[in-house]
Amino acid sequence: MITIRRRFLLLPLILLPFGAFFLWLSTMPVEPSEPSAKDTYHELSAERIWEVVNDWRGREGLLRYQEDPYLCEIAEERVGEIKEDFSHSQFEGSAEEYYSSSDFNAFGENLARDISYEEGVLRGWLDSPGHRHILEADYTHSCIRASGPFVVQIFAKY
């Protein structure tokens, strides 16, 4: 199977006294290759991401999250699900079950993947208005689970 990958090649066109103009050539079909070392990700630490997120909340004047065992069960299940379907659809589809199985009255979820270090997970969420909104909301309880390059954070409040 042939896939299309963008490969950029800079060719100097004209050298001028103040710089050079370049021609961009792109979109060349290439055969897929085996992942290289740079394409692989180390096992992210959920505990480290937890520390990074809660430290950020403290600096922002927000309360630290309390870890909740029920939310950890959900996060553990979700981190497996997003390996097959990286979306919020299964989380949203299970909302009724979450409410009926707990005393929480609101839930939220943040997902991340393919980020190579724990601090980058938080940075990615903060750079996204929707994810930042959830981090800044008044959720009181949370749990983070990670598996390879996949990360789930579940949020809840009473």
Side-chain angles (χ1 to χ4, degrees):
M1 176 171 153
I2 294 179
T3 60
I4 302 295
R5 290 190 187 160
R6 294 217 180 260
R7 299 214 181 199
F8 297 102
L9 179 62
L10 288 176
L11 299 175
L13 275 181
I14 302 172
L15 293 176
L16 297 175
F18 300 106
F21 286 95
F22 294 92
L23 172 68
W24 289 83
L25 300 178
S26 66
T27 317
M28 298 185 300
V30 295
E31 291 292 326
S33 61
E34 293 299 314
S36 68
K38 69 179 178 125
D39 295 328
T40 59
Y41 298 88
H42 76 280
E43 184 74 23
L44 292 170
S45 165
E47 293 80 15
R48 178 68 186 132
I49 298 168
W50 178 261
E51 291 171 9
V52 169
V53 168
N54 271 317
D55 289 349
W56 172 81
R57 284 181 60 86
R59 288 190 306 275
E60 293 295 308
L62 302 167
L63 295 176
R64 294 176 63 87
Y65 294 119
Q66 296 176 38
E67 191 171 76
D68 180 83
Y70 178 64
L71 300 181
C72 290
E73 288 177 27
I74 296 170
E76 191 68 40
E77 181 178 320
R78 289 290 296 135
V79 80
E81 292 172 351
I82 65 171
K83 290 177 181 180
E84 300 298 320
D85 178 17
F86 190 79
S87 74
H88 296 289
S89 59
Q90 289 178 316
F91 177 76
E92 293 163 351
S94 299
E96 188 175 317
E97 176 188 337
Y98 300 151
Y99 288 109
S100 65
S101 300
S102 74
D103 293 329
F104 291 118
N105 63 28
F107 289 89
E109 175 183 66
N110 275 347
L111 304 178
R113 73 172 174 194
D114 300 337
I115 299 174
S116 57
Y117 60 102
E118 289 77 3
E119 292 80 2
V121 172
L122 176 62
R123 176 57 37 218
W125 287 337
L126 293 177
D127 288 345
S128 164
H131 293 95
R132 177 184 275 272
H133 173 75
I134 291 176
L135 288 166
E136 293 175 336
D138 60 350
Y139 291 109
T140 55
H141 293 73
S142 184
C143 188
I144 296 175
R145 289 294 181 257
S147 179
F150 297 94
V151 180
V152 174
Q153 183 170 14
I154 303 294
F155 306 86
K157 66 179 179 177
Y158 290 105

